[in-house]
Amino acid sequence: MATQEELPPNGPRRPIAAAGTREHPYAHLLPIVEAELACGNRVLSAWGRSDKLLDDRSLTLAQPFHVEDLRRAFRFPANIHLYAILPRPGHPLDKPRMLMTDVDRYVTIHAPLPADWPHGDGRIAL
């Protein structure tokens, strides 16, 4: 059992499962969406498929992820990654964004990148 000194300031972090279910392949990411909604974020587009050939699922949030809050609230499995994506030169329709994705499956939560993002693109530690 953990001592008080070993626990995060707001209590123990909840583990995120490594996979969803067959019926709901995104089920393991629902606690993340719920946490974002509790922080005032909202869903722009609910879970859906973006590629008819892949069994992908994605959801889009209106605001950037609350990264520090998510780090304090959850323990993420090795297959859940968070990325910052900057627009590619010469692609005016690209928008800066964040992706929380299950790299073992085609399941992703999209969110905008904060306007004052100072870190460039790439993987963000969870």
Side-chain angles (χ1 to χ4, degrees):
M1 184 162 172
T3 66
Q4 190 65 26
E5 293 78 33
E6 296 172 307
L7 296 176
N10 298 326
R13 297 185 305 157
R14 290 176 39 200
I16 296 294
T21 65
R22 184 171 185 204
E23 297 80 26
H24 301 286
Y26 50 81
H28 58 314
L29 300 182
L30 289 177
I32 297 162
V33 174
E34 291 167 3
E36 282 297 320
L37 295 176
C39 288
N41 212 333
R42 61 185 168 72
V43 173
L44 283 182
S45 64
W47 292 107
R49 291 177 66 180
S50 59
D51 189 318
K52 294 179 182 182
L53 299 176
L54 299 175
D55 189 23
D56 70 326
R57 299 290 189 277
S58 65
L59 174 138
T60 303
L61 295 171
Q63 299 170 11
F65 287 105
H66 295 84
V67 177
E68 290 303 320
D69 292 333
L70 294 174
R71 285 178 181 146
R72 279 191 297 273
F74 300 109
R75 280 193 338 264
F76 293 91
N79 61 306
I80 304 298
H81 295 188
L82 179 61
Y83 296 98
I85 310 292
L86 296 177
R88 296 173 291 168
H91 292 84
L93 299 179
D94 273 359
K95 294 185 179 176
R97 60 198 185 281
M98 301 176 96
L99 306 174
M100 183 168 295
T101 188
D102 177 341
V103 297
D104 293 340
R105 293 155 197 88
Y106 296 106
V107 181
T108 304
I109 302 170
H110 301 262
L113 193 65
D116 59 351
W117 184 255
H119 306 295
D121 63 358
R123 189 168 171 192
I124 303 166
L126 291 170

